[in-house]
Amino acid sequence: MVSATQFALGFVTAWVVLGAAAVWFWPPPNNLDAFEAPIPAHAGFGSRRPLPGALRGPGVARLATTVDTTTAPLPTTKASRVIELTLTDPRVLGARIRIRLTPDISGPISAEYMEAIAALGNPLATASLHRAEPQNLVQGRVDDRRVAQIDARGPCPPGIDEKKVKSSYCDCGCNGPIMRRGMVAWAGGNGHGPDFFIFTGPDGQGDAWIHDHTVWGVLADEESFATMDKIYELPTVRSGPATLLADDSGRQATVPFNMSLAA
């Protein structure tokens, strides 16, 4: 005959077993918002990305997790993306500068940031060129409040001892390769905009900057170099050590541009 104690113990044990089975087999609610927050356009090195769309639907919320992409391979599809700057100043109206993004050099953050701005199209908050050092560099600004700001300097090139790199003019460390003709980078040794510059000097002229700059693009074609020559022919005015673009009367002025993804 079963005692009262044995009956109670068996009853409790049965409920524990049934409860465990329900937790294991019953699917959780189909609400993955907490696991599938949007990935910023500039997500990249050091970011944590939700796993892809395979982890969607009932029963997967408890499995959803994140993948550390710090050491993940760079996205190969981004390397071929080209952004297009179309000048709107009447003196160079319609001239284009095409820049091929280089996540393989800078890491994906800066390249994806610029791609995101280009994809949104105009109007941009800031998009203009303001400085032109003849046959050396053109400097401009680009910014769009619709895209979250970034601050991510590029990686030091393989084989370079970062501890031995002494910056030429800023305390910014080793952020990329020595500048070569056609490279596009953030200005001032920064890992963000809005200021950027396009270098067109001969190889060797950029050596003095050593590894200061985060290079996120290169000029994509000869037409772009030809547009740079047109910019160098515009009037300029000196302001301290800088040569700034000017209007036809010699007053400081900018050359605005529209930006888009190239077809």
Side-chain angles (χ1 to χ4, degrees):
M1 184 175 181
V2 179
S3 66
T5 301
Q6 290 173 323
F7 177 83
L9 181 60
F11 183 82
V12 171
T13 301
W15 272 107
V16 170
V17 171
L18 288 173
V23 170
W24 180 254
F25 291 106
W26 193 265
N30 184 19
N31 181 358
L32 306 186
D33 291 343
F35 300 93
E36 298 182 0
I39 302 172
H42 56 270
F45 280 140
S47 67
R48 299 187 67 82
R49 296 171 177 260
L51 285 176
L55 286 183
R56 296 177 185 271
V60 299
R62 61 167 165 258
L63 302 177
T65 183
T66 57
V67 175
D68 192 341
T69 61
T70 303
T71 57
L74 292 173
T76 55
T77 57
K78 299 296 183 183
S80 62
R81 297 312 300 265
V82 175
I83 61 174
E84 191 168 272
L85 283 53
T86 304
L87 308 186
T88 59
D89 186 301
R91 299 170 296 177
V92 285
L93 185 63
R96 293 179 294 189
I97 300 172
R98 295 187 181 93
I99 301 172
R100 185 175 300 280
L101 300 175
T102 56
D104 54 321
I105 297 178
S106 65
I109 298 178
S110 291
E112 290 184 6
Y113 172 74
M114 292 302 294
E115 181 179 340
I117 292 178
L120 286 173
N122 303 293
L124 304 182
T126 303
S128 62
L129 307 174
H130 62 269
R131 180 183 179 188
E133 304 293 345
Q135 307 308 316
N136 187 331
L137 66 87
V138 167
Q139 186 171 335
R141 308 191 83 193
V142 62
D143 184 27
D144 194 319
R145 298 182 182 91
R146 296 172 292 179
V147 179
Q149 293 295 315
I150 62 169
D151 191 359
R153 293 179 173 131
C156 200
I160 302 297
D161 187 348
E162 186 169 1
K163 296 179 180 179
K164 295 182 179 179
V165 173
K166 302 297 181 183
S167 173
S168 60
Y169 69 98
C170 61
D171 184 19
C172 47
C174 179
N175 307 312
I178 291 176
M179 295 293 291
R180 293 291 179 253
R181 184 173 183 266
M183 285 185 171
V184 187
W186 295 127
N190 293 314
H192 57 81
D195 287 278
F196 69 96
F197 71 101
I198 304 170
F199 178 65
T200 63
D203 289 350
Q205 196 173 73
D207 290 4
W209 293 324
I210 53 175
H211 299 281
D212 292 349
H213 297 105
T214 297
V215 176
W216 49 261
V218 295
L219 294 185
D221 52 32
E222 288 303 317
E223 180 184 349
S224 299
F225 282 100
T227 297
M228 296 294 288
D229 290 336
K230 293 178 182 179
I231 295 171
Y232 290 137
E233 293 172 359
L234 295 174
T236 57
V237 60
R238 293 291 295 178
S239 177
T243 305
L244 304 181
L245 289 165
D247 60 21
D248 290 338
S249 65
R251 293 177 298 183
Q252 181 181 340
T254 61
V255 173
F257 60 82
N258 292 329
M259 193 166 76
S260 62
L261 288 176

